[in-house]
Amino acid sequence: TGAQTCALPISLAHAFIHSPGQPLPAWLDEGVAYFMGTLWVEKSAASDGRTQALEELEASGAALALAEPSSPGVSAGQPLAQAISPIYYRTKAAYVLWMLRDVAGDAALSASLRAYNQANDAGISSAAGSASFEKLLEQASHHDLSWFFADWVDADKGLPDLAIDSVFPSPAESGNWLVAVNISNSGYASAEVPVTVRSDSSSVTERVLVPGRGKAVQRLLILGLPRM
């Protein structure tokens, strides 16, 4: 089963990030282990490993969706930094680490986890483990991730609710088309998502940050008539 497949990498991840005498935030202790288990599924699958890994994670996604508040006004939820429920510090944390993998990149996330582990072993990590991890990840990725940690780690704003409101293609020069994609987020948590436009001869993907309770427009230039 998937759980049996993930058992070994989860145990190894616990051993890697655990630091005697230096208590870790539960979302990093448990979340990194679960995250590494899903990566093991991705890397060891014979084909389409990413899909299989996400299916492994999605198995508990429904429970997380039920636990999350529909808005910050309805319930405070459980910010990851102080989470006491496994559905948050294990399941949601693994989702958050997958998101950070997409936003910051594999190399930056790997380097940050290694540096965070070494800092704890040396006894120099700050008590606010989430803040120190954020700083390491920003340094490694050269990205401002304050918006991400504010919405996904330091507070529980529920889940984003994204929709493509409209798409406007217009012809440009030399067989190119400029496509404007309007995206809305009726949830309270911001999200950075990939937007892809395809034609018969090419494909273009750009990432766009859609704020909570807000909208964003992404314009993409593509060769050939866009497919709807």
Side-chain angles (χ1 to χ4, degrees):
T1 65
Q4 293 172 328
T5 302
C6 293
L8 178 59
I10 287 175
S11 298
L12 292 175
H14 271 303
F16 165 75
I17 200 168
H18 177 67
S19 181
Q22 291 287 336
L24 301 176
W27 81 274
L28 284 174
D29 188 13
E30 293 288 337
V32 168
Y34 188 17
F35 170 68
M36 294 301 293
T38 60
L39 290 189
W40 177 269
V41 173
E42 179 186 50
K43 300 301 182 183
S44 61
S47 62
D48 204 8
R50 183 180 177 89
T51 297
Q52 292 187 41
L54 292 176
E55 288 175 350
E56 175 81 23
L57 189 60
E58 191 64 23
S60 53
L64 174 61
L66 288 174
E68 284 283 43
S70 57
S71 80
V74 171
S75 167
Q78 289 187 30
L80 279 189
Q82 293 90 37
I84 58 174
S85 171
I87 197 66
Y88 287 96
Y89 67 65
R90 184 176 296 125
T91 303
K92 184 176 182 178
Y95 273 105
V96 163
L97 288 163
W98 267 90
M99 292 165 65
L100 283 172
R101 183 189 183 198
D102 283 342
V103 172
D106 279 330
L109 181 57
S110 176
S112 300
L113 289 172
R114 292 176 187 276
Y116 182 80
N117 172 258
Q118 291 166 3
N120 275 284
D121 284 343
I124 60 174
S125 173
S126 69
S130 299
S132 61
F133 178 62
E134 176 185 351
K135 183 176 294 184
L136 287 168
L137 192 54
E138 287 183 330
Q139 291 172 347
S141 65
H142 306 292
H143 288 303
D144 177 8
L145 298 173
S146 57
W147 66 270
F148 186 97
F149 278 79
D151 280 12
W152 290 94
V153 178
D154 300 327
D156 184 6
K157 297 186 177 182
L159 302 176
D161 188 359
L162 302 168
I164 295 178
D165 294 333
S166 56
V167 179
F168 296 103
S170 58
E173 297 180 350
S174 305
N176 291 301
W177 285 72
L178 184 63
V179 183
V181 182
N182 294 294
I183 308 167
S184 63
N185 181 0
S186 58
Y188 290 82
S190 302
E192 185 180 290
V193 295
V195 177
T196 300
V197 174
R198 296 183 176 87
S199 70
D200 289 335
S201 58
S202 61
S203 174
V204 177
T205 299
E206 297 286 349
R207 300 189 68 85
V208 56
L209 175 60
V210 190
R213 309 298 290 177
K215 297 177 180 290
V217 179
Q218 183 65 45
R219 294 176 174 83
L220 302 95
L221 188 66
I222 188 169
L223 178 63
L225 179 65
R227 296 205 306 261
M228 297 300 188

